[in-house]
Amino acid sequence: MIGNHAGNSLNNEQNLIMHIQEKPIYEFFKRCFDIFFSVVALLVLLIPFIIIALIIVIDSPGASPIYTQTRVGKNGKEFRFYKFRSMVPNAEKMLDSLLEKNEMDGPAFKMKDDPRITRFGKFIRRSCIDELPQIVNILKGDMSFVGPRPPLPREVAMYDDYQMQRLSVIPGLTCYWQVQPQRNSISFDDWMKCDLRYIQNRSFKTDLIIIFKTVGAVLGMEGE
């Protein structure tokens, strides 16, 4: 297991270690779906990607429009994760001074009025445009269209055994948590329950339902 598992504060429900069923046929066709639609999406979005990148360079000069970060995928494997840059170039260095203002319990960091976010960054976050470069991660096989969001290594280091179970499948661009109303108000424990419910119930039908709900959330500008 990865990280330091501090399980002392868990209640009986959270101590439950699930039996996670292998679904090889589902996983095979899901991968085929991911490859086909990621290629189509990248071809369709090529020109919009270039335009967005140019706006980011103008709005926040001096840094790459694509932000790369180490994230943790299936079975604890780390990979390079891509996003359109929505923060100032020195955002990571500023994080330590903002940790005491974290508005989410647990290892994840969320802050409603994060001072590191640029002007254009606020728009692409609300519209979820900043997440689109992860289509490259999907094509590479690091991620899928649907699955638990990939955490940071520092977050995984604080996971307990119950939370580590969310690393048993390939992470995704969208998930149950992503389509919840006011998702940033959801507790970290409830977020984990959403992910583990997905893992237990994952199927083609579940994935399609989440994808359609994600489209609705994006059109409603429900991003952070």
Side-chain angles (χ1 to χ4, degrees):
M1 290 291 183
I2 298 173
N4 302 317
H5 309 319
N8 293 334
S9 63
L10 297 178
N11 59 33
N12 291 333
E13 182 181 5
Q14 290 175 312
N15 272 319
L16 178 64
I17 302 299
M18 305 184 308
H19 170 68
I20 298 172
Q21 182 181 359
E22 296 291 334
K23 299 184 178 182
I25 296 176
Y26 159 75
E27 299 293 348
F28 172 78
F29 284 105
K30 183 176 184 178
R31 180 61 186 146
C32 293
F33 177 96
D34 286 342
I35 292 172
F36 177 79
F37 283 100
S38 60
V39 170
V40 171
L42 288 171
L43 291 174
V44 171
L45 294 172
L46 179 60
I47 300 302
F49 273 20
I50 293 172
I51 294 171
I52 293 165
L54 288 173
I55 295 173
I56 293 171
V57 169
I58 294 169
D59 185 54
S60 182
S64 169
I66 300 294
Y67 175 67
T68 63
Q69 190 177 47
T70 300
R71 293 290 181 109
V72 181
K74 183 178 180 180
N75 297 327
K77 181 181 178 181
E78 295 186 354
F79 65 94
R80 298 306 294 171
F81 171 90
Y82 308 117
K83 294 183 75 171
F84 279 123
R85 180 177 294 279
S86 61
M87 291 187 174
V88 295
N90 63 335
E92 289 292 335
K93 294 180 180 179
M94 293 173 63
L95 180 59
D96 287 344
S97 65
L98 296 172
L99 288 176
E100 63 181 17
K101 298 179 181 179
N102 189 9
E103 297 171 4
M104 175 168 278
D105 61 337
F109 178 83
K110 296 288 181 182
M111 183 177 174
K112 185 177 181 181
D113 296 314
D114 194 325
R116 301 173 298 165
I117 301 174
T118 64
R119 292 171 299 173
F120 187 59
K122 292 178 181 178
F123 169 73
I124 62 175
R125 280 183 166 230
R126 283 193 60 81
S127 59
C128 298
I129 288 172
D130 63 321
E131 309 285 3
L132 290 178
Q134 289 155 48
I135 296 171
V136 176
N137 287 121
I138 294 171
L139 181 60
K140 290 171 61 181
D142 300 324
M143 294 174 59
S144 176
F145 277 104
V146 183
R149 292 293 290 158
L152 292 162
R154 64 173 175 80
E155 296 171 352
V156 175
M158 292 185 278
Y159 279 6
D160 52 58
D161 290 340
Y162 173 81
Q163 295 157 353
M164 287 293 292
Q165 295 175 105
R166 73 188 298 263
L167 302 181
S168 59
V169 299
I170 294 174
L173 181 63
T174 188
C175 57
Y176 274 138
W177 172 80
Q178 200 87 358
V179 299
Q180 297 299 309
Q182 299 181 330
R183 63 175 182 259
N184 288 326
S185 299
I186 295 173
S187 71
F188 184 74
D189 287 340
D190 286 339
W191 180 359
M192 295 299 100
K193 290 174 186 175
C194 283
D195 286 343
L196 294 175
R197 177 161 61 96
Y198 169 76
I199 292 171
Q200 286 288 70
N201 300 325
R202 67 195 192 280
S203 66
F204 295 116
K205 180 180 178 180
T206 299
D207 289 348
L208 290 174
I209 290 172
I210 292 174
I211 288 170
F212 282 121
K213 286 186 175 181
T214 300
V215 172
V218 169
L219 293 177
M221 298 285 282
E222 296 177 12
E224 51 182 35

